[in-house]
Amino acid sequence: MSVLAVRLREPGLSVVLTGNEAVARGAIEGGVRFAASYPGSPSAEVLDVLARLGEEFGLYAEWSVNEKVATEAAAAASFAGLRSITIMKPDGMNVALDFLSSISLSGCRGGMLVVLGDDPGAHSSIKEEDSRYLARAAHLPVMEPASPREARDMVKVALDLSEDWKLPVIIRNVTRICHASGNVILADIPPTGPPAAIGRTQKFLTTPQAHPELEAKLQRAGRWADGSPFNRYEGPEDAQTVVVTAGPGFYYAMEALELLGLGDRVGVLKLGMTWPLPEQFLLTHLRHAEQVVFCEEVEPFLEELVTSLVAYHMDSLPAIKFYGKRNGQVAGPKGSGIGEMDVDIMVDALSRVAGVPYQARPAGYVDQAREVLPGVLPERDRAFCAGCPHRASFWAIKAALQLDGREGLVLGDIGCYAMGRGKTGHFLLHTVHSMGSGVGLACGFGKLARFGYRQPTIAVVGDSTFYHAVVPALLNARYNGADFLSIVLDNETTAMTGHQPHPGSGVTVMGDTAPRISIEQVVEGLGIPVHVQDPYDVEATTNLVHRLIQEPGTKVLVLRRACILVAVKGVAKAQYMVDQKRCIAEACGCGRFCNRVFSCPANIWDEAEGKARIDEAVCNGCGVCATLCPQQAIIRVGEV
């Protein structure tokens, strides 16, 4: 991260920042004093940057236990007159929506931003979700930057607007903005503002009587959107074909027009605020349009709003034909409304609309490429890191269920261990939904005995997830007497999104020492039996899981071992090798266990030699494969 560039106090200097860094810089230049979030890609780095610079710029940053609490904390700062920001991905907005749909009615005081990181294509998410629909449901304005520089600029403007409208404003980024880099011209950093305070008569109450006032605020937002400095039109003023777009879609459309040579025929209408719509701005540029093409991701959000707007003004507009995701005219290789938007999709759509044939590659390109390539590249399964404690945990769960013989059910959750649905986790997971849902589902399965259900149920969750969303489900299980085992895979960090601290880590994001909130003590406080075990001791773990699924009631097992990437960083690690004299491979019936069955990336099967070996560059020295090898052929040979 370019934290050094974010912290510079040199107005006018051009620096290269990622979209996430640009948002952080915009927050600092905009006078934000309070930041709260829960880790989630692709937007996690915003709070990381703010936390690292917090002391220097007089702001406070925290990783909250979940997005709802983070939003409430940021709102408290706003109520006290401070500018605040909360950052999340759409999955997190689902969690925070209850409060967001309330604060839109109560209003805020200091400028308050909700920065979203949508993930079209689900690069680092369990699903792709368009958060704009949630924003509209919450009645909150949405702005969409098209570049890192515009992200910085929008953050500063949105803070002013939020303070003026007394309404939180949403900045919606997507992965290609969050992680892209671009030039940002630095501006002044304001001095520290007034102290936080809230008057006795200042009230922030959610009431149905506030609805008319909220609608009036949104009307003001719509009028501002018409004159927004982030709106832009490119192309001939009387263009009969117009592309309506927002965010990075603007650049996809512009590049597509350049490739097709249509810049002098087709107009591009870029919107800065996408909810509420800049209606007059749109109507002005659609008065000569006969064809409108939509470029947005993921869902046809703008398409639905603009077509509805045009329907209300049919008398003053020409007959317009629309091309978008609803009618399948703008679609990627997986279909309409699925996956990321890109230049190729826009080239395909615009070439058909304009009747301009375009061939991206010369004839015979595919045949030539196949001749150059040595052969079909092998597929690579997603896998736990070499030495990941979750690998041993899933092996033990699998073995325990096989010993039990009742076709036990394993319910999953969101995190590294969600890969338990694939080969690396022996295809054990039957369900994966949202954070904490595994335990919530287990509450239901655990009450089905009266209907003949006899399968043991195991809910697998992570430590960060435990603090985020599991405790209410365990309360429910305890109260209603559900029969299941919840296994907490405690690797002592929020591993999947970049090793951010959580309440069990003993440190805050700003580096302050914090009390370690013990998972087992929380569970004991609920009156639920709890056990702690090291998953690297596979035999003991297997036996304990097997015993616990025989017992009635709600039980919790904490499998605690630090994330291997944290544990081996900067320290010596054990070195292992395969004793070729002991390894008899398939002859012993192990079926090339260490490579094919255990699926560790460090365990390699040399087909030519017919032998197993360990890649020293990949191995993290956990030694679990050594304990499981039926021939004891994997041996420790020292440390590296």
Side-chain angles (χ1 to χ4, degrees):
M1 294 186 293
S2 306
V3 177
L4 291 177
V6 176
R7 78 193 318 160
L8 292 174
R9 296 177 182 265
E10 299 183 38
L13 181 68
S14 178
V15 297
V16 176
L17 300 177
T18 67
N20 284 333
E21 292 163 351
V23 168
R25 177 69 188 197
I28 292 170
E29 291 182 2
V32 164
R33 304 276 301 282
F34 192 103
S37 179
Y38 179 83
S41 296
S43 53
E45 294 84 3
V46 177
L47 193 112
D48 281 330
V49 173
L50 291 175
R52 292 178 65 177
L53 300 178
E55 293 295 333
E56 183 175 345
F57 292 106
L59 65 86
Y60 169 78
E62 74 172 35
W63 288 124
S64 305
V65 293
N66 64 35
E67 294 84 359
K68 181 174 183 287
V69 174
T71 306
E72 291 161 346
S78 171
F79 295 164
L82 304 182
R83 289 191 164 188
S84 66
I85 184 173
T86 182
I87 309 105
M88 63 195 71
K89 63 192 299 181
D91 304 81
M93 192 177 183
N94 296 335
V95 177
L97 188 60
D98 186 14
F99 182 75
L100 287 172
S101 63
S102 297
I103 193 176
S104 60
L105 288 165
S106 76
C108 62
R109 183 176 162 210
M112 179 178 171
L113 294 191
V114 180
V115 174
L116 293 170
D118 276 11
D119 190 21
H123 295 283
S124 54
S125 308
I126 197 164
K127 61 184 183 295
E128 55 181 5
E129 183 176 348
D130 195 325
S131 60
R132 296 176 296 180
Y133 288 97
L134 300 179
R136 188 181 178 193
H139 289 71
L140 294 176
V142 181
M143 300 171 72
E144 296 191 54
S147 66
R149 179 172 180 173
E150 198 168 62
R152 189 282 306 269
D153 295 343
M154 278 190 178
V155 164
K156 296 173 65 177
V157 170
L159 284 164
D160 290 337
L161 293 174
S162 171
E163 218 155 82
D164 182 29
W165 300 336
K166 305 301 180 187
L167 191 66
V169 174
I170 291 175
I171 302 289
R172 187 230 187 189
N173 287 326
V174 294
T175 301
R176 300 301 181 184
I177 295 297
C178 293
H179 293 163
S181 296
N183 284 81
V184 175
I185 308 298
L186 300 183
D188 288 317
I189 295 173
T192 301
I198 185 167
R200 184 175 60 84
T201 60
Q202 288 176 315
K203 308 288 184 179
F204 301 91
L205 307 174
T206 300
T207 66
Q209 289 75 29
H211 195 179
E213 183 181 353
L214 172 58
E215 293 301 328
K217 291 178 179 179
L218 291 175
Q219 289 177 10
R220 284 187 66 194
R223 290 193 293 272
W224 180 89
D226 278 323
S228 166
F230 303 109
N231 293 338
R232 185 170 171 183
Y233 181 80
E234 296 280 345
E237 290 301 318
D238 59 350
Q240 295 181 338
T241 301
V242 174
V243 178
V244 175
T245 185
F250 170 71
Y251 292 105
Y252 300 150
M254 293 299 292
E255 185 173 343
L257 292 178
E258 182 180 351
L259 291 171
L260 294 167
L262 292 172
D264 59 344
R265 292 172 48 188
V266 177
V268 179
L269 193 57
K270 172 190 172 296
L271 309 184
M273 179 171 280
T274 53
W275 171 255
L277 279 182
E279 294 185 355
Q280 294 306 313
F281 178 71
L282 277 161
L283 292 172
T284 297
H285 289 281
L286 294 181
R287 295 200 186 281
H288 300 285
E290 297 179 1
Q291 302 176 113
V292 171
V293 183
F294 294 95
C295 180
E296 59 180 322
E297 48 192 1
V298 177
E299 304 288 346
F301 181 81
L302 284 177
E303 181 179 343
E304 292 167 352
L305 293 177
V306 172
T307 53
S308 176
L309 174 67
V310 170
Y312 277 105
H313 294 82
M314 292 177 61
D315 294 341
S316 59
L317 292 174
I320 299 176
K321 186 171 182 180
F322 297 102
Y323 299 84
K325 297 185 177 185
R326 278 289 176 217
N327 57 11
Q329 295 298 314
V330 179
K334 294 182 179 179
S336 180
I338 302 172
E340 286 187 292
M341 181 62 65
D342 59 30
V343 175
D344 291 339
I345 294 172
M346 287 311 298
V347 166
D348 177 67
L350 289 170
S351 65
R352 283 186 284 104
V353 171
V356 177
Y358 181 80
Q359 187 176 31
R361 299 182 179 91
Y365 174 86
V366 174
D367 293 334
Q368 294 174 15
R370 285 174 177 164
E371 291 177 5
V372 173
L373 290 173
V376 178
L377 296 174
E379 292 187 8
R380 181 179 180 272
D381 289 326
R382 291 184 177 181
F384 293 129
C385 301
C388 175
H390 299 343
R391 185 183 300 282
S393 298
F394 273 97
W395 180 267
I397 294 169
K398 173 188 175 184
L401 291 175
Q402 288 180 332
L403 287 171
D404 178 78
R406 289 178 290 164
E407 298 185 0
L409 189 68
V410 183
L411 310 175
D413 218 302
I414 306 303
C416 299
Y417 49 93
M419 290 191 294
R421 60 189 170 183
K423 179 182 177 182
T424 194
H426 316 294
F427 304 99
L428 283 177
L429 299 185
H430 288 75
T431 67
V432 177
H433 290 88
S434 57
M435 296 187 75
S437 292
V439 180
L441 288 166
C443 290
F445 282 110
K447 297 300 295 182
L448 299 182
R450 69 187 64 193
F451 304 109
Y453 182 79
R454 295 292 181 266
Q455 297 164 264
T457 301
I458 298 175
V460 179
V461 304
D463 45 339
S464 189
T465 299
F466 175 87
Y467 300 111
H468 181 286
V470 169
V471 175
L474 286 176
L475 274 167
N476 184 76
R478 168 65 170 156
Y479 174 67
N480 289 296
D483 293 322
F484 67 91
L485 170 62
S486 178
I487 297 180
V488 183
L489 305 179
D490 182 6
N491 60 11
E492 303 180 352
T493 187
T494 312
M496 189 175 185
T497 51
H499 301 112
Q500 293 87 357
H502 57 54
S505 301
V507 65
T508 70
V509 68
M510 297 187 74
D512 298 324
T513 300
R516 289 181 181 268
I517 310 299
S518 165
I519 293 174
E520 50 268 37
Q521 288 180 2
V522 172
V523 176
E524 287 171 351
L526 300 177
I528 297 174
V530 60
H531 304 264
V532 181
Q533 175 64 42
D534 181 356
Y536 276 10
D537 189 343
V538 178
E539 183 176 357
T541 303
T542 301
N543 291 334
L544 182 54
V545 172
H546 181 258
R547 176 169 67 82
L548 291 176
I549 61 178
Q550 314 303 314
E551 299 175 1
T554 307
K555 296 87 55 181
V556 172
L557 170 60
V558 181
L559 296 180
R560 178 167 293 138
R561 169 68 71 153
C563 171
I564 193 68
L565 299 184
V566 175
V568 303
K569 190 174 183 179
V571 300
K573 57 184 179 181
Q575 185 178 13
Y576 288 83
M577 64 168 287
V578 177
D579 185 336
Q580 299 299 332
K581 294 180 179 178
R582 293 184 183 180
C583 177
I584 56 175
E586 297 186 52
C588 72
C590 76
R592 296 189 296 192
F593 161 82
C594 51
N595 171 255
R596 190 178 69 194
V597 180
F598 196 51
S599 303
C600 179
N603 301 134
I604 298 173
W605 178 257
D606 191 324
E607 197 69 49
E609 296 292 329
K611 295 179 180 180
R613 63 184 179 87
I614 292 178
D615 186 337
E616 296 177 5
V618 177
C619 178
N620 280 312
C622 73
V624 172
C625 59
T627 66
L628 296 176
C629 177
Q631 293 298 120
Q632 296 183 332
I634 301 176
I635 57 176
R636 181 168 175 166
V637 293
E639 293 184 346
V640 291

